[in-house]
Amino acid sequence: MKNKIFIDVDKVCEAYNANNLDFIVVGRIESEDLIIDLFNQYFAGLQDGPFNSRLLADYPGGRQHLVYECRDLEQAHAMMRAPTTKGGSHEAMLIDIFRAMLCDGISFPLFTEVREKLGLCYEITAGHQLYEDLSNFVIYLGTDPSRYEEAVEAVFRTMYKCKNDANLLKRAQGRIKGLMALQRESPVRVLDTASSDIGLICIARDFEEIISLINDIEISKQTTIQIICFQD
């Protein structure tokens, strides 16, 4: 366990106080002092506040704000993350299309190849997190600790194999357009898409404009994807 924490501490401290925040840590913990040091480093400044109005959980042995258990984990969780580009750019759309080509459902290659055919993981997903300044292309998989390197290698082989697959591109485009059509039936999803556009490109695009952009994408236009995602 490394001395790092990957949550927004400020937001946690805004929402919780010393009377309604519990910590449960499980894993291969090197020492009790490490947990205490992490707690003190990030959360020692939590102020007392009101208890939750709901009923408190009845923990065996009474309520404790910091609980840890040292044991070996039976799974390995691997996350491959690559910074990409500005979320409102055309290149970001290309990369998002490629994400859909890889893993936009159980019939797409990362699932069928890495999970079903090779049996190298029990869960695998791909995502493209869009932000105004710099976005993130992410692939996550959960696997056996003894096979995680084999699983990661299989992921990259599948990515290389898929990058010029025109039929796969067409399937991904069709799925994205179908999901967008369904989202038009939900005012909340329409507003969510519009607000995302406003945050990224300062203007909300209509359905037909986005569909046109998706239809215009061809394999020959995915140079950006190959440069960003397939550098050695």
Side-chain angles (χ1 to χ4, degrees), residues 89-129:
S89 66
H90 183 65
E91 289 79 10
M93 175 172 280
L94 294 179
I95 296 169
D96 200 51
I97 292 289
F98 182 64
R99 174 214 50 85
M101 290 170 62
L102 285 174
C103 197
D104 210 33
I106 62 174
S107 65
F108 283 80
L110 283 185
F111 193 93
T112 58
E113 295 290 329
V114 183
R115 186 184 189 278
E116 296 297 291
K117 291 183 181 179
L118 299 176
L120 289 173
C121 63
Y122 60 86
E123 181 178 5
I124 188 165
T125 60
H128 191 214
Q129 302 163 338

Side-chain angles (χ1 to χ4, degrees), residues 43 50 53 64 79 134 144 159 224:
F43 300 103
S53 58
Q64 301 179 58
M79 181 172 288
L134 188 67
D144 187 304
M159 291 172 67
T224 302

Side-chain angles (χ1 to χ4, degrees), residues 51-96:
F51 287 96
N52 294 328
S53 58
R54 62 183 182 274
L55 293 176
L56 296 177
D58 185 16
Y59 294 104
R63 183 180 178 86
Q64 301 179 58
H65 288 293
L66 178 61
V67 179
Y68 66 90
E69 179 177 343
C70 184
R71 63 182 177 183
D72 287 340
L73 297 177
E74 298 178 358
Q75 307 92 13
H77 302 276
M79 181 172 288
M80 292 150 276
R81 183 186 301 269
T84 57
T85 185
K86 293 183 176 181
S89 66
H90 183 65
E91 289 79 10
M93 175 172 280
L94 294 179
I95 296 169
D96 200 51

Side-chain angles (χ1 to χ4, degrees), residues 6 9 29 42 45-46 60 66 90 134 145 152 177 181 215 223:
F6 299 98
V9 175
I29 301 165
Y42 292 101
L46 279 175
L66 178 61
H90 183 65
L134 188 67
V152 170
K177 290 186 290 185
N215 287 335
T223 305

